Each structure stands twice: as C-alpha cells, then as structure tokens.
Amino acid sequence: MGNMFISIVIPVYNEEENVGILYEEIIHSLNHHYDHFEIIFINDGSTDQSFQKLEELHKNDRRVKILNFRKNFGQSAAISAGFAFSKGDVIITIDADLQNDPADIPTIVDKVLEGYDIVNGWRQKRKDKFWTRKVPSFFGNKLISFITRVRLHDYGCTLRGFKREVVENLKLYGEMHRYIPALASRMGIRSVEIPVHHRERKHGKSKYGLGRTMRVLLDLISLKYLLSFSYRPLQIFGSLGLFMMVIGLASGLYLTYVKYFLNQTANRPLLFFTVLAIFVGFQMITLGLLAEMLARIYHEGLDKDLYTIRDCIGFSDEDIDDRP
Ligand code: UDP
Ligand code: MG
C-alpha cells in the first residue's frame, strides 16, 4: 500500500476536550498501517478553545490541517469542505466527539480497497439515549431505507469510508450528510455496511436533540425529489396537473350536460370542484415547467460554496486552487 494516501475528515463544533484525545487515537490506529495520511479538522465556528487546541496539534504534526469556518455552518457543510480540500485516495469521515472509535478505520479502508465505493459504519451497540435518540433513529432508518431504496441499518453513523471519485461529486447541505449513501446511489455506487464500535460521549454535549428529527424529515422530502424527479420535474407536477385537469374537464362536461339537456341548474357544489380542479391542474403544469427550468440550471452546476472559510491552515496554495 506504499503510495496510497488517506484523508481523515473531522467536523468540530465545541469539542475542546475531545480533539486532543481523538488525534492520539487516530495516530495510534493509522501509524502501523499507512505511511501517508492527512487529518483535516473543520472548525465549524466553535466558541470554546477547540481552534486553539487544533492549532497546537498542527504545530506538532504537519499532517494535521485545519479549515476554520467564519461561523457555524453545520455538520454537512463542514464535511463538504473537508471533502473539497482532501487529497486522499480513500477518505474517512469521523465525529470529533470520540463516540466513534478510530481503531475501526483500517477495517473501513480495507473494505474500500476491496472495491466498495462507500463503506458505512453500523453502530450495532449504540451508546446513546434510548427515547430521544435510538427510538427516532430506528424508525428514521426504516423510513429512509424505504423511501430511498438504499437499505441501511444506520444512516446516522458518520464513520464512513469513501473512494475519491464519490466525494468529488457530492454537494451537501442541511442535514444531507446523513443521506450520503442514498445521494450517491444516483451515481450507481457500490456500498456496504460493516459493524463498528460506539462509545458514550464523555466530554462536551451533543449538538442535536429531538428538534433535529423535523429537519431530517424535511430533508428526506427534498432528497426523494432530488433522487426521483429532479431531472424531469415536469413528470410529477405535470402528471398531477393533467390528472386534475382531466377530472375538472369531465365534471365540467357533466355540468354542461345537466344544464342544457336536463335543464337543471348547474350551480351546485360540483361547480366549485370543477373550477378548482381545472385551476389547480393548470397551476401544477406551470409549476412543473418552472421546476424544469430550475432543474436545468441546478444540474448545470451552481458552483457556490455553502460555507466561508477564515483560515486554511496546513494546505499548500496548490491544494487550495485545485479543489473541485
Ligand atoms: N458538529 C459540527 N457542526 C455542528 C454540529 C455538530 O461540526 O453544527 C460536529 C460535532 O462536533 C461532532 C459531529 O459533528 O464532531 C457530530 O455531532 P454530535 O456528536 O453532537 O451529534 P450526535 O453524535 O449526537 O448525533
Ligand atoms: Mg456524537
């Protein structure tokens, strides 16, 4: 494995007590296995001493690199930035809170080298709160698997391994990092799930609570849209619209028949329905056309970053210019 290069991507938001220990653990786990690697910490607007701690790590070890965000942009943006600046043939994402165990990294790398594009960690023995975390997560995983048709036991686990090509084409926002395997399925990737260790959070607090469930759900709707219809939005809106129109026209014809052939009044509830159906149908089709135009623009590449960076520490000018 002489020349293989590995990038570890770690989002950090107020993890001052964790980053030092995490660094030690990562070094311990990688040292015997690999000659070339970089550890990219993304400081996502921490308000504690995380950044200072990271700078110290960088001073002692040049393989440690830091992207310092101007403010908190969220875990997805942080992972995205890490991907954009990474140079590895294999890229690993891992949380900074020590809940994932860096000792699992070599197993994940091996799986990627075996030929999988994405290797997902599965926290079989998850050490989190039962009602607020494990229960929503159980149903969440079932729902996401059902809707995206990419079946995984643990969408929430951020300990994952990627082949370079996969990360180059991903754009993440909102809570999208959780859906990476589903998003990537669009590219026809091969993925696999392997059991990984999980530990309790000892230092610092979890950044999320039940409130996240809502955002995760909304993102799932937009994900489904992206996965199924974003190339041809007119096909959903348009078919809904046509359907409404046909129903509207049919009931309209029926009312005309009632009025002119049966000589009864057509001014009954069905008239409201007729007008509404035709109107909604027409709106749906126009909306579909509008979405169609937006989709074209979207897929032609909206090349804006979703974050702004204050400092890039440890990267060469080349790295910074080269990023996708
Ligand atoms: N994180 C981040 N930005 C945020 C929230 C979280 O970079 O806005 C990082 C956090 O420091 C940790 C990882 O994302 O490394 C996962 O966060 P956390 O452990 O709080 O989530 P949980 O494991 O409880 O789902
Ligand atoms: Mg955690």
Side-chain angles (χ1 to χ4, degrees):
M1 290 180 226
N3 279 322
M4 189 192 43
F5 192 65
I6 297 175
S7 303
I8 315 283
V9 167
I10 312 166
V12 176
Y13 182 42
N14 294 344
E15 309 279 5
E16 57 184 3
E17 288 159 297
N18 293 320
V19 287
I21 310 172
L22 179 69
Y23 166 80
E24 297 294 335
E25 289 190 351
I26 290 178
I27 295 295
H28 182 79
S29 149
L30 296 190
N31 253 352
H32 308 292
H33 290 87
Y34 314 105
D35 300 328
H36 309 290
F37 59 85
E38 62 183 355
I39 307 176
I40 305 179
F41 287 98
I42 303 92
N43 178 36
D44 185 14
S46 299
T47 49
D48 64 356
Q49 295 294 304
S50 298
F51 181 62
Q52 285 74 8
K53 292 270 151 69
L54 293 174
E55 273 187 312
E56 256 165 55
L57 295 177
H58 167 73
K59 274 191 202 117
N60 297 320
D61 183 345
R62 295 289 146 156
R63 293 170 299 186
V64 172
K65 303 175 181 180
I66 313 167
L67 296 170
N68 190 27
F69 277 6
R70 287 184 178 275
K71 65 177 225 351
N72 178 257
F73 285 101
Q75 196 179 346
S76 280
I79 292 175
S80 238
F83 281 167
F85 281 81
S86 68
K87 281 271 164 287
D89 306 299
V90 176
I91 292 118
I92 303 285
T93 53
I94 185 169
D95 283 353
D97 59 0
L98 301 174
Q99 288 198 269
N100 300 129
D101 187 350
D104 288 315
I105 295 177
T107 331
I108 295 181
V109 174
D110 286 347
K111 271 283 171 203
V112 176
L113 295 179
E114 232 176 73
Y116 291 99
D117 302 296
I118 300 188
V119 177
N120 296 285
W122 170 15
R123 298 165 294 178
Q124 272 180 336
K125 298 198 183 95
R126 190 168 165 187
K127 301 282 190 328
D128 272 318
K129 294 215 179 77
F130 184 73
W131 285 108
T132 52
R133 306 305 293 271
K134 289 204 214 173
V135 170
S137 155
F138 174 80
F139 290 107
N141 286 315
K142 288 262 181 281
L143 181 71
I144 300 169
S145 297
F146 173 73
I147 290 189
T148 63
R149 305 223 161 115
V150 179
R151 283 173 212 294
L152 290 184
H153 293 93
D154 193 0
Y155 267 93
C157 181
T158 16
L159 177 55
R160 297 189 176 116
F162 303 88
K163 215 178 254 168
R164 157 115 253 124
E165 302 91 271
V166 179
V167 311
E168 279 177 354
N169 291 308
L170 285 174
K171 245 192 164 41
L172 309 171
Y173 45 86
E175 287 291 322
M176 284 295 184
H177 60 270
R178 123 187 355 261
Y179 300 124
I180 291 176
L183 267 175
S185 70
R186 260 209 313 204
M187 303 186 242
I189 52 121
R190 283 212 320 149
S191 67
V192 66
E193 207 171 23
I194 62 168
V196 295
H197 299 98
H198 195 240
R199 307 179 287 195
E200 255 166 73
R201 201 187 233 281
K202 291 214 186 67
H203 311 286
K205 283 201 288 272
S206 169
K207 312 300 177 296
Y208 307 106
L210 256 184
R212 172 169 62 180
T213 317
M214 190 62 159
R215 280 179 286 146
V216 167
L217 275 179
L218 287 175
D219 271 352
L220 185 59
I221 298 177
S222 90
L223 177 77
K224 177 68 189 167
Y225 178 74
L226 275 175
L227 286 178
S228 311
F229 304 111
S230 78
Y231 287 101
R232 301 313 310 274
L234 187 58
Q235 306 205 336
I236 31 167
F237 293 115
S239 34
L240 263 172
L242 277 180
F243 179 70
M244 291 303 280
M245 283 258 225
V246 167
I247 292 187
L249 287 174
S251 61
L253 278 176
Y254 172 71
L255 283 179
T256 315
Y257 167 78
V258 164
K259 178 161 176 156
Y260 291 104
F261 291 88
L262 304 181
N263 279 325
Q264 295 169 8
T265 171
N267 197 0
R268 43 165 123 171
L270 193 61
L271 184 63
F272 288 102
F273 176 77
T274 307
V275 174
L276 190 74
I278 294 178
F279 190 71
V280 167
F282 183 71
Q283 292 274 296
M284 280 284 183
I285 294 173
T286 352
L287 189 68
L289 287 170
L290 210 61
E292 190 91 0
M293 299 226 291
L294 282 178
R296 296 283 148 87
I297 298 172
Y298 176 84
H299 289 291
E300 272 160 32
L302 192 70
D303 240 357
K304 272 202 201 97
D305 284 336
L306 302 149
Y307 46 82
T308 49
I309 298 176
R310 180 168 284 130
D311 320 284
C312 298
I313 298 170
F315 294 91
S316 67
D317 291 347
E318 257 167 62
D319 291 346
I320 295 172
D321 293 340
D322 274 5
R323 74 206 168 88

